[in-house]
Every structure is written in structure tokens, then in C-alpha cells.
Amino acid sequence: MIYPKNNRLMKWMFDTYVKWLVGKTFHQFLYNEVGLDSDKSVLLVANHFSFWDGLILYVLNDKLLHKKFHVMILEDTAKREGMLRYAGAFSVSKNSRDMLESLNYAAELLNQPGNLLLMFPQGKLYSNFVNRVHFEQGLLKIMKKAEGKFQILFAATFIQYLKHKKPSVTVYLKTERETYSDKTIDELQSTYQQHYDASKLQQTEIEIK
């Protein structure tokens, strides 16, 4: 397993660059406000469709959530994109002995109220407007290990080119009160799917004036 790196200078450089890059790339960055419990960590569950996903949600955390950012990424990505480790990225290697270590580490992060853990439970990239969002089992294992010491935040992110040269990004957020300690991955997936479907419908009904 590849762990995050702690270096204040490198973290500042990454933070500055990502906020500049996202601000430069997108015409608008839109999101809705949500109420969160400051005494609990945040498990941010999001759709995965592009290179931009993690960077967008990193900036969202800076703008709205104000937690210590962490994200689980594939081991190949962690090796290729070393700078991500300064932003709290750690690796998971599917079907390996290290996978349990990664799941345990993720659960430990959620036991600390100042943390945010971003998860892409689809496990790989899909179309931004895919109809069905599939979840892999690892997410539920982390949630059960963390024993409900966190709050779930669903994010459905969409990028569209409308009448501007630059695209706009919209993140639809919804808090989920259920801890899913006695639920299945299919039940969690179904609940997220409802949020995703409602968000996609709202996104496709945008009127251009």
C-alpha cells in the first residue's frame, strides 16, 4: 500500500496549483449547500467519469466542507501521479494482500472527525451521463469497519459545455443519515442511484437563456 506524504510546502504547492487550474478551466463551479455535523468525519461518495473528478471535489472541500482531504486511488495511479499523495491520496490494489490494509486505513481515517474521505465506488471511469451507477464491495466494508463514526455525503458531478467556450461544472450534494451498518451494497447503491438520477434530470433540464 502507498500512503499519503506529509510535506507542508508540497501540500501548499499542490493546493495552489489545483485551485488555479480548476478556476482557469471552468466557466462556473456550481454546488448546493448542505448541513454537516462538525463532530463527525465525512465519507464523500461520488461518480467517476474523468481526470477532473478528484480535483473538482478537492476544490469543493476547500470551498464548502473544510475537512482534511483524503482519497483512495488505484495503486498504478498513485505510482504515476506522485503529487496526489501530498493531497491525501493513498492506494488500493484490488485482489491483493494489500487491499485489506487499504480498507483498514480508510476506516481509521473516518474515525477522526477532522477528515474527509473521497471514494469512487464505481472502481473505474464511466460516462458522465451513464444510466446506472455500479458500486463495488469495498465501500461497504470500509463503512462497517468505521462503525458509524462518520456522515455520508453523496456527490453527483456533471460537466457540460453550454454557450461558453469553457465548460461549467455542477456538483449536486445530498447528505445521507443512514450508516448502513446492517445493509447491503445493493441498498447503498440504490440510495445513491436515486440521488444520481434526480441530479442528472435536473442537469439535463437546464435552460439556456
Side-chain angles (χ1 to χ4, degrees), residues 21-196:
L21 182 63
V22 171
K24 174 188 176 189
T25 302
F26 295 100
H27 170 71
Q28 284 183 307
F29 188 124
L30 305 173
Y31 56 88
N32 57 292
E33 300 279 345
V34 289
L36 294 171
D37 186 346
S38 61
D39 294 328
K40 288 187 175 183
S41 60
V42 174
L43 175 59
L44 181 57
V45 179
N47 58 320
H48 195 23
F49 62 92
S50 77
F51 158 86
W52 290 104
D53 305 345
L55 303 184
I56 289 168
L57 295 173
Y58 180 90
V59 173
L60 175 78
N61 179 57
D62 180 74
K63 290 176 175 288
L64 179 65
L65 306 175
H66 312 301
K67 296 282 187 177
K68 187 175 181 181
F69 187 89
H70 301 83
V71 57
M72 178 184 282
I73 61 177
L74 294 176
E75 187 170 299
D76 288 346
T77 305
K79 291 178 179 178
R80 187 175 63 251
E81 305 291 346
M83 278 294 293
L84 296 177
R85 296 172 64 192
Y86 295 106
F90 62 98
S91 73
V92 63
S93 181
K94 298 179 182 179
N95 303 317
S96 75
R97 297 177 186 176
D98 288 346
M99 185 170 182
L100 182 59
E101 184 180 356
S102 298
L103 298 181
N104 288 335
Y105 180 75
E108 289 172 7
L109 290 174
L110 290 177
N111 287 331
Q112 302 172 40
N115 287 334
L116 176 146
L117 173 59
L118 169 60
M119 293 285 296
F120 298 113
Q122 290 168 286
K124 58 184 179 181
L125 295 173
Y126 289 84
S127 166
N128 195 190
F129 287 86
V130 68
N131 288 325
R132 182 174 179 271
V133 179
H134 169 75
F135 279 15
E136 296 189 353
Q137 290 286 341
L139 175 61
L140 192 63
K141 293 178 181 177
I142 292 169
M143 293 168 67
K144 291 186 174 181
K145 285 177 179 291
E147 300 177 346
K149 299 177 182 178
F150 58 91
Q151 54 204 315
I152 302 171
L153 181 61
F154 289 153
T157 304
F158 297 95
I159 293 175
Q160 277 190 295
Y161 286 85
L162 299 172
K163 65 179 181 179
H164 301 281
K165 291 182 179 179
K166 296 181 179 180
S168 293
V169 57
T170 307
V171 184
Y172 297 91
L173 299 170
K174 180 180 181 294
T175 53
E176 175 61 24
R177 300 302 178 188
E178 176 64 70
T179 62
Y180 290 87
S181 58
D182 58 347
K183 304 293 185 180
T184 66
I185 192 66
D186 289 339
E187 290 173 301
L188 175 60
Q189 177 182 307
S190 177
T191 306
Y192 179 85
Q193 184 74 51
Q194 293 174 34
H195 171 64
Y196 177 84

